[in-house]
Amino acid sequence: MSLVNQTAVTRRLEITPKSPPLTGETDPPAATATATATEDDTAALATTAAPAAPDSSGAPEGSTAAPAGVIDTVTDADFRTVPDAPAARALPPSAVTAVLHAFGGRSRELPPRTVVFIGSTAPLTALPAAYEGIPVRTAPSPAHALHLAHHELQAQRADLALVAGFQEPLGRAVTVQTLRRAAEAVAADDSVLGVLDFDGCAGPADEPVLRPSRHSRRLTDPAAPRLLLWSGGNAAEEQRVRRELAPLLDGLFPEAFPALPATMPCGQAPGPVRAGAVTTAERAPAAVAAARAVHAPRPRPVALLFPGQGSQHTAMAAGLYGREPVFTAAVDAVLELMGPEGPAIRADWLADTPALAIDDVRRAQPLLFAVDYGLGCMVLSWGIRPAALLGHSAGELVAAVLAGVVPLSTAVAMMRERVVAAVRIPPGGMLAVAAGADALRPYLRADVVVAAVNATSQTMLAGSTAPLAETAAALRADGHTVVTVPATSPFHSPAMAPASAAVERAYTGMPFRAPDLPLYSGYTGGPLGPDDAVSPRFWARQITDPVLFQPALDELLAADDMLLLEAGPRQTLTVFARRHRAVRLGASAVVPLLPARPVSPEADRHAVLTAAGRLWQEGHRLKGEALARLWTCAAEEAPTASATRAGSSPVGVAG
């Protein structure tokens, strides 16, 4: 999937100024508008080619773009005021207010890098250059504004564009669209209906053509495992549903098995008595008969855990890539934001013999970020809304994206800066030791320090290569269990101080916000406060400071009984969480999304299906159509040359 795709959601408005704008007026007055909803929603994904220099109107020239798709996630609104405006009148500043209101837009709720684009043949001199900190751009026509928005998104100067097209005469007819990168939109589980094709546009004044789009081909393999989920209002009703399933599965044509609904009975709210099975068509009758029903009247809230360096392994989660569209789109979004290095990272991830080893920081950190983020987006697409987020080391940056602290493009830029800075540091490493931090202090020497406090008697040390090797030898000589963590850099130690300083300079000026969701930090040992969330220094010192995972988990599980879901490879955090008293006593529980070690692509999918089944049996309501993609979707066949830009990956969008 090409990141240069953008999503557009269209609304129609009617805007008329209350009075002519005053000369020199720059602050938009409060909008005097009412809204009425209709069923005529439209939306669009759009793409653009490699960045081109804008012409005098600000629109890119020579646009050659891949197609993109259409989204249908909003309700049309008509904004009306009383008297009509003559065509010669300049567009009022209140137009910007109405554009934001069309999507319920308060500036605080919009991504940090939101830009409003207004295209109109009417005079635009009265419009402000910014509204509540949101830049406002103008263009001589709606089509010019659309092309200009594509150019800004392509150049990564914006993450969300609100494009308003005011037709001539000024009147009241206005079209407003939101545009963002397609892969990010798909990762957010937007519903894609088609593509806008810019290939036929001779210039920025041309409107694109809407074309159909598919993100994948449909699978009907009865030998592939899938989820069967069912429920009842009480135990007797659950048994009745189970008995009704038995003859259906016995007499079902095998190729129709993947098309069965994910949750049954259909068309009614699920009951509190739940059961489920991961099974194939052949084994389905026996699996349904053997499934254990549970009573789940009150599901525990879900907290997502994101692992960091040390959890990576070759081909981690590769079994989901190309088979689960939301995960695939999210990974592609991250890797394309990595710039020219992105294709090489993807190739090494999927290769039998990678050019760079997975433990090299240039591969481990970007791929861990991409996989963690992809898994988090996939879980959200199932309808799960986490009550809290907790990341370990690099995983905290993924948690920050999903909590709204930074947009994805900024987080990937932060990750790139970390990797570049880390490469310049002399080699080092990390050790996992089965002992408490206090017991290890006599063994610390030179720049070797406690790097992470993960669980009771589970501590990590980090430092430069030579002193770390001496420490490991001393610990083993005294009978301690020591495991070398797969890392080539001494993260969370003073050896990384030069990298931390360089990263802090790079982070200054980046858009940070207080989290929208409770975000527990391994660097504070508790909830992330607004001051730390917006501090470049806080994010930069994560390279040198120890990870306090156990204290942060203590705080999280003290707030409520939780279902912890590890969105990452190798089950490292699952092992730590299982040692926690709240989990051992059964008040809270932990579920991994991926296998504990590299196995096979089929094992990745089976683990995800098992985790989804656990969420169902916990009592959470899941989106059946989203789950079904795990067993009904495969990567689209290679497109024709006309369907993609030269050198780009195929366009893939969820529908």
Side-chain angles (χ1 to χ4, degrees):
M1 176 178 297
S2 176
L3 185 66
V4 295
N5 297 332
Q6 287 107 37
T7 302
V9 180
T10 304
R11 288 184 176 179
R12 296 182 186 85
L13 306 176
E14 290 188 359
I15 302 173
T16 308
K18 269 199 332 184
S19 58
L22 299 175
T23 303
E25 181 179 9
T26 57
D27 294 326
T32 55
T34 58
T36 58
T38 75
E39 295 297 322
D40 186 22
D41 298 339
T42 60
L45 271 179
T47 67
T48 180
D55 63 13
S56 59
S57 68
E61 293 184 317
S63 175
T64 57
V70 170
I71 296 236
D72 166 69
T73 56
V74 297
T75 307
D76 287 3
D78 289 332
F79 282 74
R80 299 182 178 88
T81 55
V82 189
D84 202 352
R89 179 179 297 164
L91 206 61
S94 57
V96 181
T97 308
V99 168
L100 296 174
H101 285 184
F103 293 91
R106 293 198 300 267
S107 59
R108 174 64 181 83
E109 298 170 349
L110 296 169
R113 297 199 303 174
T114 297
V115 182
V116 172
F117 298 85
I118 294 183
S120 173
T121 53
L124 297 171
T125 54
L127 286 177
Y131 175 86
E132 293 186 1
I134 298 175
V136 178
R137 311 264 196 267
T138 60
S141 73
H144 277 76
L146 185 63
H147 282 265
L148 180 58
H150 288 305
H151 180 67
E152 293 282 299
L153 288 165
Q154 164 80 12
Q156 298 183 24
R157 290 192 291 269
D159 292 310
L160 175 68
L162 302 179
V163 183
F166 288 76
Q167 307 294 338
E168 186 174 5
L170 175 61
R172 292 172 306 202
V174 182
T175 299
V176 183
Q177 302 177 63
T178 64
L179 280 71
R180 58 193 177 108
R181 299 175 186 89
E184 295 172 39
V186 174
D189 198 34
D190 288 330
S191 178
V192 178
L193 306 177
V195 300
L196 285 175
D197 188 354
F198 279 71
D199 272 343
C201 294
D206 289 353
E207 293 282 354
V209 177
L210 180 65
R211 303 190 188 283
S213 172
R214 294 184 304 167
H215 72 278
S216 63
R217 56 193 172 89
R218 189 167 182 82
L219 293 178
T220 57
D221 181 7
R226 59 152 292 170
L227 261 178
L228 284 174
L229 305 173
W230 65 94
S231 69
N234 50 47
E237 188 176 326
E238 182 274 325
Q239 284 294 319
R240 178 181 59 78
V241 174
R242 192 189 300 236
R243 287 194 299 270
E244 291 172 353
L245 273 174
L248 170 65
L249 296 171
D250 271 330
L252 187 69
F253 187 62
E255 279 67 26
F257 179 67
L260 287 176
T263 61
M264 290 174 275
C266 301
Q268 64 185 63
V273 180
R274 308 280 185 97
V278 179
T279 182
T280 62
E282 181 182 6
R283 299 174 180 173
V288 169
R292 183 175 66 91
V294 297
H295 186 236
R298 179 188 175 274
R300 286 170 289 195
V302 172
L304 291 179
L305 307 181
F306 299 100
Q309 181 93 24
S311 297
Q312 74 279 355
H313 62 73
T314 56
M316 53 184 173
L320 301 176
Y321 189 72
R323 288 293 299 271
E324 208 296 322
V326 171
F327 174 84
T328 303
V331 170
D332 282 344
V334 172
L335 295 182
E336 190 137 3
L337 284 168
M338 291 296 295
E341 187 68 5
I345 295 171
R346 181 190 288 105
D348 278 349
W349 175 41
L350 303 176
D352 293 333
T353 307
L356 281 179
I358 186 65
D359 296 337
D360 189 299
V361 68
R362 292 169 291 177
R363 292 295 177 264
Q365 297 246 339
L367 280 174
L368 273 170
F369 183 97
V371 168
D372 287 6
Y373 176 71
L375 292 171
C377 289
M378 181 184 68
V379 171
L380 266 59
S381 78
W382 298 345
I384 297 296
R385 290 297 172 261
L389 305 162
L390 171 58
H392 189 292
S393 187
E396 186 159 318
L397 198 50
V398 178
V401 175
L402 298 182
V405 175
V406 287
L408 178 63
S409 58
T410 299
V412 173
M414 294 169 70
M415 175 62 63
R416 292 179 67 186
E417 295 292 343
R418 286 175 61 153
V419 170
V420 169
V423 168
R424 299 191 180 114
I425 301 299
M430 307 177 81
L431 302 172
V433 187
D438 290 340
L440 297 179
R441 301 205 183 277
Y443 296 91
L444 305 182
R445 64 193 71 198
D447 62 359
V448 176
V449 296
V450 172
V453 178
N454 292 324
T456 302
S457 299
Q458 287 288 329
T459 306
M460 286 175 61
L461 305 180
S464 300
T465 301
L468 191 67
E470 295 173 4
T471 299
L475 286 165
R476 290 188 176 106
D478 288 347
H480 288 284
T481 300
V482 180
V483 177
T484 300
V485 176
T488 57
S489 299
F491 282 104
H492 314 301
S493 79
M496 298 296 292
S500 178
V503 164
E504 183 176 0
R505 291 191 294 271
Y507 288 1
T508 301
M510 286 185 173
F512 297 102
R513 300 199 309 196
D516 297 325
L517 293 172
L519 173 57
Y520 286 76
S521 171
Y523 298 94
T524 66
L528 181 65
D531 292 340
D532 282 334
V534 301
S535 167
R537 175 60 188 145
F538 169 79
W539 295 102
R541 68 180 174 85
Q542 294 188 359
I543 297 176
T544 56
D545 286 10
V547 180
L548 305 177
F549 180 79
Q550 183 183 22
L553 187 62
D554 287 342
E555 290 283 324
L556 172 60
L557 296 183
D560 200 351
D561 296 337
M562 292 279 183
L563 183 66
L564 305 171
L565 192 64
E566 183 176 5
R570 208 184 280 278
Q571 301 186 9
T572 304
L573 302 187
T574 298
V575 172
F576 297 156
R578 282 174 178 159
R579 295 170 180 262
H580 196 280
R581 185 172 184 271
V583 175
R584 287 189 286 106
L585 293 177
S588 293
V590 59
V591 178
L593 272 171
L594 291 176
R597 60 187 183 278
V599 185
S600 66
E602 292 74 21
D604 289 341
R605 294 191 288 273
H606 195 280
V608 169
L609 290 172
T610 301
R614 179 65 185 275
L615 287 168
W616 167 262
Q617 291 188 300
E618 180 76 17
H620 290 279
R621 188 166 185 173
L622 305 177
K623 293 181 179 179
E625 68 279 6
L627 290 176
R629 293 194 291 251
L630 287 163
W631 59 85
T632 59
C633 291
E636 187 62 274
E637 299 293 345
T640 61
S642 61
T644 59
R645 297 180 296 109
S648 74
S649 55
V651 175
V653 288

